[in-house]
Amino acid sequence: MHFRYLTWLVLIFFLNLPALCFCDPRITEAALKCGEILTPNVSIVPIFVEETRHLLRLIEDDNWGHYSVNTSDNVPMYGLAQCYHDLSKSDCLSCYAAIRTRLPSCLQSLSGRLYLDGCFMRYDTYEFYDESLDNTKDSVNCSGNIVKDEKKLVKFNESVGLLIDKIVGVDTWKRGFRVAEIEGVFGLAQCWKSLSKEKCRECLENAGEKVRGCLPSREGRGMNAGCYLRYSDYKFFNEDGDNDSNGSSRALSTGAITGIAISAAAFIILLLVAAYLFYTRSLKRGRRSLDHRMTFSKASLMYKYDILEKATDYFSQSMKLGEGASGTVYKGTLPDGYIVAVKRLFFNTNRAWADEVFNEVDLISGIHHKNLVKLLGCSIEGPESLLVYEYVPNRSLDQFLFDRSGFRVLSWKERFDIIVGTAEGLAHLHEGSDTRIIHRDIKSSNVLVDENFTPKIADFGLVRCFGADKTHLSTGIAGTLGYMAPEYLVRGQLTEKADVYSFGVLVFEIVCGRKSTAFADDAGSLIHTIWKLYKADKLTEVVDGRLHDEFPVRNALKILQIGLLCAQASAILRPSMNEVVHMLISKDCEVPIPNQPPFLSAKMEGSTGSGSSYNIDTNTLISSALMKNENDNSYSSTNSSSYELSLIRK
């Protein structure tokens, strides 16, 4: 007997079972209404998240609630959520979870309301709790096939009319809820609990009149500011509500119960036979089946928003690890005790931006290396987009290099190991697979160190990839000023050599314990200082003074020279990251003589011989880039030292 035949038998069994009422959170969307569009620089996402978090606690307690949040801009947000009275507690929570997934599509507006067939939520900037009607947003939804048979139509119209009169009657608006059934037509009426009896009556009577206009459709919904009303030719509500259905909820007869019991026993026997056949078939498939299941499990990268929200104590400030240009990172503990880092991405109304970020999830999650922070997955169905990374205890490298207040000084060995590990991580991105991956934002704040001070490259929000058949990508410019290669900053030409340049700047910061500045015509800039001391054969003077000369001089000179090779103006002259790794770990490797780095004004350097062709005026470069960007009207800054330039290539 073939397994597919058993599948058909099981299906036939279910189709012939007596009609039973199973739990159903009724998350079909009936209507979504959004208000006026916000200005581009306004975001209400954090307020909405706080609002829905408080409403969740009220829903858990009483299946409904309202709550208000005041913002720093004195723009309040009022919210109300309610499940319909016949839903169970678990179905209510499931329905509310669906609302939190779908209502964020209104978050470009100051107001929004979502009607599902099992629950409702609304947010607005004024206290609307006792509002029963709203001529601008109230609506009706007519669906289902039209009753075409004239005899049935007359009877159906009469039944719908009687049903509506019944569920909008005095008993309903006194209690706020009612379900009923008349001659095969089913109905439900629900007022929000914040309404008075008079307001409930006004709302339901108005909704009832609107829904009558749906005839001869088999189904209609009236959705007003203060209530929801629905009729249908099939039973959609649960029996445990305040039912008044003319005896339709009477207990099953003894014969029906006996039939169900016999059917259940037959089903169990079929299930056991099917399980046995499936088991023997699985053994024959052997390893191929196992490999298939492993491949399928690797594709599971999605986390539920609610789980991550609770893991971070609802994004509590006490769990905050740091903040970057693209989002805020929180420490989180999953239900199984596993500790993760959750990145809460800043809200962006550009759909292409969101697609861009999450298109990288599948790519980066498949890259594994000891010097790369592992991306575990993401959440894209909640009110915000979240990325989930492995948790690295010691936070970012910049705090050890530049914060003199509370972090200990890194030893020379620790600095050397961090340089080598970062180089190996970049080399793996560039050449570790068939696809070349470019990070685009290598800097000290994007290198994390674990408890053993092993470096891990983090923040892959700006990564780009391209195949071996391409020499470069022409793309919008994004990254941090001061770490961006000249050919990328000015012409938008991106290759892996842009990461090599950024790595060179990072090497200088690690060795010197000083932050690189974005403006090279500043006589105190780090790159200018290193180049000047290199030409004067005094490079050891730039090594971090906190080491107190406790470092191998030859090793320090070698590393700084490798940094200068990486930071050369010409991308062609820069070594690959694999070559950098080889130079760093090989004792006998001869390091080539570097050419002058970019962004050094000729008036400051004087005549440098071979370096003259690389004397680029910083002001000219930066002004040119910003001028192009200003014409495109797409410049944005995140802080005084980090910029994102989105230049549109003409």
Side-chain angles (χ1 to χ4, degrees), residues 565-586:
L565 281 175
C566 294
Q568 293 178 103
S570 171
I572 297 175
L573 294 178
R574 294 175 212 147
S576 69
M577 286 311 304
N578 271 331
E579 291 171 334
V580 169
V581 172
H582 177 67
M583 286 188 284
L584 285 170
I585 64 178
S586 175

Side-chain angles (χ1 to χ4, degrees), residues 2 61 91 103 106 109 119 148-149 151 159 312 409 432 436 462 464 487 510 599 643-644:
H2 294 292
D61 292 338
D91 284 347
L103 190 54
C106 273
S109 306
C119 56
K148 296 180 180 180
D149 185 276
K151 292 183 179 180
S159 298
T312 59
V409 178
R436 291 183 289 170
L462 300 179
R464 288 291 181 273
E487 75 280 359
I510 295 173
F599 306 147
Y643 300 84
E644 184 166 321

Side-chain angles (χ1 to χ4, degrees), residues 260-466:
I260 293 174
I262 294 173
S263 299
F267 172 68
I268 292 173
I269 294 172
L270 283 173
L271 188 62
L272 291 173
V273 174
Y276 173 75
L277 292 176
F278 180 75
Y279 174 72
T280 55
R281 187 178 179 187
S282 297
L283 288 178
K284 292 178 181 179
R285 276 188 271 178
R287 183 66 186 177
R288 287 180 302 168
S289 176
L290 178 61
D291 290 341
H292 175 74
R293 290 195 296 273
M294 290 176 64
T295 303
F296 178 78
S297 66
K298 285 175 64 178
S300 180
L301 301 171
M302 302 301 296
Y303 285 78
K304 290 185 178 180
Y305 180 86
D306 288 347
I307 290 178
L308 297 179
E309 187 181 39
K310 292 178 181 178
T312 59
D313 193 21
Y314 299 95
F315 302 108
S316 166
Q317 282 294 111
S318 63
M319 306 296 282
K320 183 176 176 179
L321 298 175
E323 184 172 312
S326 59
T328 306
V329 182
Y330 297 84
K331 180 180 178 181
T333 304
L334 298 178
D336 61 0
Y338 189 72
I339 299 176
V340 296
V342 180
K343 186 168 187 179
R344 189 184 191 186
L345 297 176
F346 292 142
F347 183 69
N348 192 312
T349 59
N350 185 343
R351 179 60 183 271
W353 175 87
D355 291 342
E356 214 170 68
V357 170
F358 289 102
N359 280 342
E360 306 300 336
V361 171
D362 283 332
L363 174 67
I364 299 302
S365 63
I367 303 296
H368 302 291
H369 190 272
K370 64 182 178 67
N371 298 118
L372 300 175
V373 171
K374 187 177 180 181
L375 178 61
L376 304 175
C378 63
S379 170
I380 58 176
E381 295 184 350
E384 304 167 283
S385 297
L386 307 174
L387 296 177
V388 185
Y389 293 94
E390 68 168 307
Y391 173 68
V392 182
N394 266 347
R395 302 191 181 183
S396 58
L397 176 60
D398 62 327
Q399 297 179 73
F400 290 93
L401 294 177
F402 312 130
D403 188 341
R404 263 62 172 175
S405 58
F407 288 86
R408 70 176 183 82
V409 178
L410 295 175
S411 68
W412 176 259
K413 183 181 184 305
E414 288 169 337
R415 297 181 195 225
F416 177 76
D417 290 343
I418 289 171
I419 290 172
V420 173
T422 306
E424 290 176 340
L426 273 176
H428 186 77
L429 284 177
H430 292 176
E431 302 182 42
S433 64
D434 294 336
T435 303
R436 291 183 289 170
I437 301 173
I438 304 174
H439 187 281
R440 287 208 301 172
D441 202 19
I442 294 297
K443 56 183 178 181
S444 54
S445 60
N446 282 341
V447 177
L448 307 182
V449 288
D450 66 13
E451 63 274 11
N452 299 316
F453 287 90
T454 300
K456 292 179 178 288
I457 298 171
D459 200 341
F460 299 97
L462 300 179
V463 295
R464 288 291 181 273
C465 60
F466 59 104

Side-chain angles (χ1 to χ4, degrees), residues 54-67:
H54 285 284
L55 287 175
L56 172 61
R57 293 172 179 173
L58 296 173
I59 289 284
E60 288 174 335
D61 292 338
D62 201 24
N63 283 25
W64 87 286
H66 56 75
Y67 191 83

Side-chain angles (χ1 to χ4, degrees), residues 159-218:
S159 298
V160 170
L162 292 172
L163 177 76
I164 291 175
D165 289 340
K166 190 170 188 175
I167 62 175
V168 301
V170 61
D171 289 342
T172 307
W173 54 261
K174 278 185 177 180
R175 295 180 294 171
F177 172 82
R178 197 177 193 184
V179 293
E181 182 264 330
I182 293 179
E183 299 294 337
V185 181
F186 302 86
L188 177 150
Q190 174 78 66
C191 287
W192 315 145
K193 290 187 178 181
S194 56
L195 259 60
S196 65
K197 295 178 182 178
E198 292 74 17
K199 291 281 190 179
C200 179
R201 176 189 57 78
E202 177 185 40
C203 187
L204 290 176
E205 288 180 350
N206 180 276
E209 288 303 314
K210 289 180 179 177
V211 165
R212 291 177 196 271
C214 283
L215 294 171
S217 295
R218 295 182 181 273

Side-chain angles (χ1 to χ4, degrees), residues 513-587:
R514 284 177 51 190
K515 191 167 184 62
S516 178
T517 132
F519 301 101
D521 58 354
D522 178 0
S525 74
L526 184 57
I527 295 180
H528 172 257
T529 300
I530 291 173
W531 179 253
K532 186 166 62 175
L533 292 174
Y534 172 75
K535 299 299 289 183
D537 200 19
K538 298 179 180 179
L539 259 184
T540 54
E541 294 180 11
V542 81
V543 178
D544 193 344
R546 292 175 295 173
L547 290 173
H548 303 296
D549 295 330
E550 295 179 3
F551 61 89
V553 174
R554 287 188 61 185
N555 190 232
L557 293 175
K558 175 184 176 181
I559 290 175
L560 286 169
Q561 190 169 332
I562 293 172
L564 285 170
L565 281 175
C566 294
Q568 293 178 103
S570 171
I572 297 175
L573 294 178
R574 294 175 212 147
S576 69
M577 286 311 304
N578 271 331
E579 291 171 334
V580 169
V581 172
H582 177 67
M583 286 188 284
L584 285 170
I585 64 178
S586 175
K587 295 181 179 179

Side-chain angles (χ1 to χ4, degrees), residues 125-137:
T125 55
Y126 68 94
E127 190 171 341
F128 57 83
Y129 304 140
D130 64 346
E131 187 174 86
S132 60
L133 301 175
D134 180 355
N135 292 331
T136 62
K137 296 286 194 310

